[in-house]
Structures are given as structure tokens and as C-alpha cells.
Amino acid sequence: MNKNNPDITDDLREEYDLTSLRVRKLGRNRRSFAGHTVRLDPDVAEMFPDADAVNEALRFLIRVTQQNQPPKL
């Protein structure tokens, strides 16, 4: 039965347990369950087809930056 409309009956089977179901919010304030969410500017997002491409580019940048650091005294 629906709270808003008591005439609607629930057709969901009893064996389905939805108590542990996680629901993702849509929009800017949604949470990511896998980690951090980073919003790319549109011009940057055009260059990367997926998250793997972004990670690969960032890892490359990290390696180049670390290799070009002056030796620590």
C-alpha cells in the first residue's frame, strides 16, 4: 500500500529484501560509493573518454613531475 494513495497495492514479491538497497542521489550533491567524485570542466572532459583515461593522464603527470624535482638536500 502506498502512503500517498492507499488504493495502490504493492506487487513486489515478499522474498525481495530492499532494506539494504542504496539509492544514489542525482545532481551536484550526490555521493559516490566508490570514492571521490571530481567534476571536470567541459573542455577538459572532451579530451577524456572515461575515468581510466583521466587516471592514466594524471599518473603520467605525477611521474613527470617527480622526475623533474631537484634533488633534496
Side-chain angles (χ1 to χ4, degrees), residues 19 21 25 37 44 57 60 67:
T19 56
L21 182 66
K25 293 183 181 179
T37 300
V44 175
F60 175 76
Q67 290 171 359

Side-chain angles (χ1 to χ4, degrees), residues 3-60:
K3 288 187 218 177
N4 298 330
N5 190 348
D7 296 331
I8 296 177
T9 58
D10 188 4
D11 293 333
L12 190 62
R13 294 181 181 176
E14 290 179 16
E15 61 263 22
Y16 294 132
D17 179 21
L18 302 180
T19 56
S20 63
L21 182 66
R22 290 184 170 181
V23 178
R24 282 193 164 189
K25 293 183 181 179
L26 299 177
R28 296 173 62 201
N29 295 326
R30 75 179 187 185
R31 279 189 177 176
S32 171
F33 294 108
H36 299 286
T37 300
V38 177
R39 192 178 80 215
L40 301 176
D41 289 334
D43 60 323
V44 175
E46 281 181 18
M47 301 305 294
F48 300 98
D50 55 19
D52 290 333
V54 174
N55 287 328
E56 182 180 343
L58 290 173
R59 287 187 183 104
F60 175 76

